[in-house]
Amino acid sequence: MVRFKNRYITVEIMASDIPELKPLSLKSKIFHDTVLNKIQQLHGDFGSAAVRTGFLTKYCNENTRIAIIRVRHGPHHFVTSALPFITKIGKLDIRLKTLHVSATLKHSFKFIQKHQRAYLDKMWSKLKTEEEQKMLEAAVMDFTKTDVAINIENIS
């Protein structure tokens, strides 16, 4: 039996048109298809075929604008090389920034937790009431939009 290694690519979606506090209207299926189309455009049939097996968008948070892509080890280089060339998802003008590449989903979530905690610290100074701060924290630290159920408290 052969064990397949995966890589989890954590990506930040930056949209200059939409303010930071407003969530993006972005579905993981549209994001997934856009990445595959760009890989097809840049790397042709070979790159597309290599990536398709095991390619999945595991997590896409519209509030924090962070997504996690799962791809097999090896063809993950096709994905990481194609991400900077994606400038439009649906009708949104965006830029993608690769934040982290890890071997496990657990390490990706650890990285996201640290990244989002820093984001919260930066955004809390802009909010006026404590209620707004709690609502922002609930939205940012929401990891339930994943296909895999992971208890975040056990990670720390």
Side-chain angles (χ1 to χ4, degrees):
M1 188 165 146
V2 178
R3 179 176 166 256
F4 294 110
K5 294 180 180 178
N6 292 317
R7 291 295 175 254
Y8 296 89
I9 303 167
T10 306
V11 178
E12 182 178 20
I13 304 162
M14 296 180 285
S16 58
D17 303 354
I18 301 171
E20 280 189 57
L21 293 176
K22 188 176 179 188
L24 292 176
S25 58
L26 176 67
K27 301 298 176 208
S28 62
K29 175 72 174 142
I30 296 169
F31 179 73
H32 179 269
D33 292 341
T34 303
V35 173
L36 281 178
N37 289 339
K38 187 53 79 172
I39 292 168
Q40 171 69 36
Q41 183 182 6
L42 293 174
H43 300 290
D45 290 337
F46 178 76
S48 180
V51 167
R52 279 193 194 276
T53 304
F55 184 76
L56 185 65
T57 302
K58 295 294 281 181
Y59 174 79
C60 191
N61 191 328
E62 297 170 347
N63 294 312
T64 59
R65 302 171 182 199
I66 291 183
I68 297 178
I69 303 168
R70 183 191 75 190
V71 65
R72 300 248 318 259
H73 183 274
H76 75 281
H77 294 294
F78 291 127
V79 177
T80 55
S81 68
L83 289 176
F85 294 104
I86 297 173
T87 57
K88 208 172 207 35
I89 295 179
K91 296 178 182 176
L92 291 172
D93 289 329
I94 55 104
R95 282 186 10 237
L96 295 179
K97 179 180 169 185
T98 303
L99 297 176
H100 186 67
V101 178
S102 67
T104 65
L105 192 58
K106 181 178 179 180
H107 281 96
S108 290
F109 278 117
K110 279 184 180 181
F111 175 81
I112 289 174
Q113 193 173 28
K114 288 178 188 174
H115 184 268
Q116 288 177 340
R117 185 56 61 187
Y119 172 80
L120 274 177
D121 292 342
K122 182 178 86 173
M123 295 306 291
W124 273 347
S125 63
K126 297 178 182 177
L127 298 176
K128 296 175 180 115
T129 65
E130 191 174 316
E131 184 177 308
E132 287 177 337
Q133 290 177 349
K134 287 182 181 181
M135 287 174 44
L136 179 65
E137 182 176 17
V140 168
M141 299 307 282
D142 180 23
F143 290 99
T144 60
K145 292 179 168 74
T146 63
D147 295 338
V148 179
I150 291 183
N151 189 355
I152 297 301
E153 271 58 42
N154 292 337
I155 291 176
S156 299

